[in-house]
Amino acid sequence: MAARRGRGSTTTPPESLDPYSFPLSEEQITLRERAYLAASQIALPDAVRRDAERRFPREELLRLSAAGWFGIGAGAEHGGSDLDTTSIAIVVAEFSRACASIGLLLAYHTIVLDAVRRAAPPPVGERLLSGLAGGGMLGALALADPVHRADRAAAVAARGEKGFVLRNWKSFVPGAVGAGLFLVYAFVADDSLHAPRQRVLLLVPRDESRLFVGEADALIGVRASGTASVRFDSLPVPAIHEIGSTLEDRASLRAVLGFADILVAAQAVGIAEAAHERAVAFAGSRDADGEMAGTRQRVQFPIADMRVALDASRLLLLRACRAREAGGDFVYEAAQARAHASRSAVRIADSAIQIVGGVGSLADHGIERHFRDAKTTELNPSTREAALLGCARRLLEE
């Protein structure tokens, strides 16, 4: 399969000798090739324009759902692919390689779907899973609270006889513009000064009368992801929609955050791969003196350094995936993978711009988009420092 070249087109097919492939099964290598083809046909075209226009990819998401990619985290009984964590990460990386916004939407949708599959009470899970897996409902993860806004308090859930009443705000919710289901992390309102502050994860279907989504945020990267603030106007949430109380059992929250770290690491790997490909393509061009750019050490050294960082990110990602598949505590491995992959993606994209030179800073060239997208992986769903803090606590405890 020939490499695709040209403005805004960076994706090349996965090679059988790629270091990423050696720990994978034949089925996973085939899946990666399928994901590459789908991303090339659906996510890559117009990626630069969508980013420039901050246009939510509704049509592209419909095509992805029709092709079954929304169900990668669901079981076959609900129309899903029943993929393991490694396979899901492969898919997210390939779509992020083509378009980081679509990769992010697919990642967060899969996190919500996985939470419903694993922890939702059966009546709720059965009702929601088919819609999520079939693509009729986009899932969105609402974790971040407003900061430095006096008019926007963090989301709180007041307990009632039949469940909760959700009020206030969530900020920076990827996919909020088009989401049909939100997984909301909220404080539980408690008038007692001495009671521990309780938190819950709630499944909140979109309610046009009591749930309001703001305009899409003008983010530095993933501009087509439909990231926006969400306001809850005394929205009733039945008790059966509770995923987990983090006062009594932090396992539900840790599982969600750990899986998010893994898929953000996969997103970062995909972005870094796209930036590295652009740098390698430039190395095959001729400079003003008629020499191949790749014959100069100023190009050779950073390209090799970029590849070392990229392969290290891939291996840490695969280790985190295998730790999750083993069924034990995988949060430490996930945090390590996310911390390294996100920082490496920023550095790789920065190096790609530096190698290409002035043209790399042009918005319609595409490389600067990879740099901006990479930066968001250090911030979403929490900061890279939060992942490092989790690693540090684990190390100091030991």
Side-chain angles (χ1 to χ4, degrees), residues 242-315:
E242 180 182 359
I243 286 290
S245 166
T246 61
L247 175 65
E248 297 145 359
D249 179 13
R250 295 186 62 86
S252 295
L253 178 62
R254 283 171 59 83
V256 168
L257 294 179
F259 194 29
D261 274 344
I262 287 176
L263 295 192
V264 170
Q267 183 197 13
V269 165
I271 296 168
E273 178 67 43
H276 184 262
E277 287 176 348
R278 298 300 292 268
V280 171
F282 175 79
S285 64
R286 296 187 182 275
D287 60 21
D289 297 326
E291 296 289 333
M292 296 290 288
T295 64
R296 302 184 184 276
Q297 288 186 348
R298 78 165 190 87
V299 173
Q300 292 174 348
F301 285 154
I303 282 181
D305 194 50
M306 293 158 69
R307 188 66 187 198
V308 170
L310 176 56
D311 287 347
S313 295
R314 285 170 165 169
L315 292 172

Side-chain angles (χ1 to χ4, degrees), residues 101-127:
S101 292
I102 288 179
L104 177 64
L105 292 170
L106 181 60
Y108 274 31
H109 171 83
T110 304
I111 293 166
V112 174
L113 189 156
D114 183 78
V116 172
R117 183 183 184 187
R118 292 175 179 271
V124 175
E126 290 298 319
R127 188 173 72 249

Side-chain angles (χ1 to χ4, degrees), residues 307-358:
R307 188 66 187 198
V308 170
L310 176 56
D311 287 347
S313 295
R314 285 170 165 169
L315 292 172
L316 284 170
L317 171 60
L318 289 171
R319 187 184 70 163
C321 291
R322 300 292 166 81
R324 184 174 188 265
E325 290 165 2
D329 187 356
F330 63 94
V331 173
Y332 175 74
E333 290 81 2
Q336 271 198 332
R338 184 274 175 91
H340 186 277
S342 60
R343 175 54 57 88
S344 294
V346 173
R347 290 175 174 171
I348 289 169
D350 179 62
S351 294
I353 292 174
Q354 196 70 22
I355 288 171
V356 174

Side-chain angles (χ1 to χ4, degrees), residues 129-374:
L129 278 174
S130 295
L132 290 168
M137 179 188 297
L138 178 68
L141 188 61
L143 292 178
D145 291 313
V147 292
H148 307 305
R149 286 291 300 271
D151 61 329
R152 293 189 177 185
V156 294
R159 287 192 183 275
E161 292 183 3
K162 298 182 179 180
F164 301 88
V165 177
L166 195 57
R167 302 188 181 94
N168 298 339
W169 295 82
K170 278 294 178 181
S171 295
F172 305 117
V173 182
V177 168
L181 179 69
F182 297 85
L183 181 57
V184 181
Y185 176 53
F187 293 105
V188 176
D190 195 327
D191 296 330
S192 172
L193 295 177
H194 302 290
R197 198 165 192 190
Q198 192 173 2
R199 299 166 176 84
V200 289
L201 285 167
L202 300 174
L203 291 167
V204 183
R206 195 176 194 116
D207 183 331
E208 300 296 342
S209 64
R210 293 183 181 271
L211 187 153
F212 302 93
V213 177
E215 295 293 325
D217 296 323
L219 301 177
I220 184 175
V222 291
R223 292 177 172 178
S225 63
T227 298
S229 294
V230 179
R231 179 169 66 87
F232 309 102
D233 184 14
S234 298
L235 174 64
V237 181
I240 201 170
H241 281 215
E242 180 182 359
I243 286 290
S245 166
T246 61
L247 175 65
E248 297 145 359
D249 179 13
R250 295 186 62 86
S252 295
L253 178 62
R254 283 171 59 83
V256 168
L257 294 179
F259 194 29
D261 274 344
I262 287 176
L263 295 192
V264 170
Q267 183 197 13
V269 165
I271 296 168
E273 178 67 43
H276 184 262
E277 287 176 348
R278 298 300 292 268
V280 171
F282 175 79
S285 64
R286 296 187 182 275
D287 60 21
D289 297 326
E291 296 289 333
M292 296 290 288
T295 64
R296 302 184 184 276
Q297 288 186 348
R298 78 165 190 87
V299 173
Q300 292 174 348
F301 285 154
I303 282 181
D305 194 50
M306 293 158 69
R307 188 66 187 198
V308 170
L310 176 56
D311 287 347
S313 295
R314 285 170 165 169
L315 292 172
L316 284 170
L317 171 60
L318 289 171
R319 187 184 70 163
C321 291
R322 300 292 166 81
R324 184 174 188 265
E325 290 165 2
D329 187 356
F330 63 94
V331 173
Y332 175 74
E333 290 81 2
Q336 271 198 332
R338 184 274 175 91
H340 186 277
S342 60
R343 175 54 57 88
S344 294
V346 173
R347 290 175 174 171
I348 289 169
D350 179 62
S351 294
I353 292 174
Q354 196 70 22
I355 288 171
V356 174
V359 70
S361 64
L362 296 176
D364 64 347
H365 191 266
I367 295 185
E368 58 83 37
R369 172 173 64 94
H370 300 319
F371 178 80
R372 292 185 288 100
D373 290 342

